[in-house]
Amino acid sequence: MQTLVLHPDCAPGSIQSIMADIIPTADGCRVTFVARGDVTSIAVPAVDAPGRFDNLWKTTCFEIFWSHDGTSYREFNLSPSTRWACYDFDAFREGMRNAPAEVEIAVTVSESELRLTAEIRSDLPLPATVAL
């Protein structure tokens, strides 16, 4: 599990740390995100019907950016609502289109921790550069 680093332009907020772990699997990958801090002060969407859904980045979600060639990439948006999205891009924010994937999300939420684990079935070539 790796601790993610806050972007230098962002002020610290109610979440004290975000840790992530990603493991390649035969069908794609398994990822776990853990946000710790005052979870009650962030907007955590309620669990909803799972499935593909656009615009998840407008609310609380975790993201994965997976690139095999350093230019094109596959982006995953994983919401605590159990909804998800998957897009392919030709370059940074260019050529966006839906990408093939199947995602199952499990979430636990307490006052001090938000934990999301996703089983992702998608073509994810290795080696890769992965940003979380």
Side-chain angles (χ1 to χ4, degrees), residues 1-2 19-23 30-34 132:
M1 188 82 54
Q2 293 286 344
M19 298 182 347
D21 189 40
I22 189 165
I23 301 167
R30 177 182 309 108
V31 63
T32 300
F33 290 94
V34 180
L132 305 170

Side-chain angles (χ1 to χ4, degrees), residues 14-112:
S14 58
I15 298 300
Q16 306 301 309
S17 69
I18 298 179
M19 298 182 347
D21 189 40
I22 189 165
I23 301 167
T25 64
D27 297 330
C29 68
R30 177 182 309 108
V31 63
T32 300
F33 290 94
V34 180
R36 292 193 174 117
D38 182 8
V39 174
T40 63
S41 68
I42 64 171
V44 178
V47 172
D48 208 333
R52 187 183 290 261
F53 199 82
D54 290 327
N55 297 313
L56 295 172
W57 56 270
K58 292 182 177 181
T59 63
T60 301
C61 79
F62 297 100
E63 296 181 317
I64 302 169
F65 303 90
W66 190 289
S67 178
H68 179 66
D69 63 10
T71 302
S72 62
Y73 62 97
R74 182 159 289 174
E75 176 180 332
F76 295 91
N77 302 154
L78 308 169
S79 172
S81 69
T82 71
R83 291 180 168 177
W84 56 273
C86 180
Y87 308 103
D88 279 339
F89 289 86
D90 297 325
F92 182 68
R93 296 186 180 167
E94 293 179 12
M96 179 178 150
R97 61 199 173 277
N98 281 335
E102 294 178 25
V103 179
E104 295 176 25
I105 296 174
V107 177
T108 58
V109 181
S110 71
E111 290 182 4
S112 61

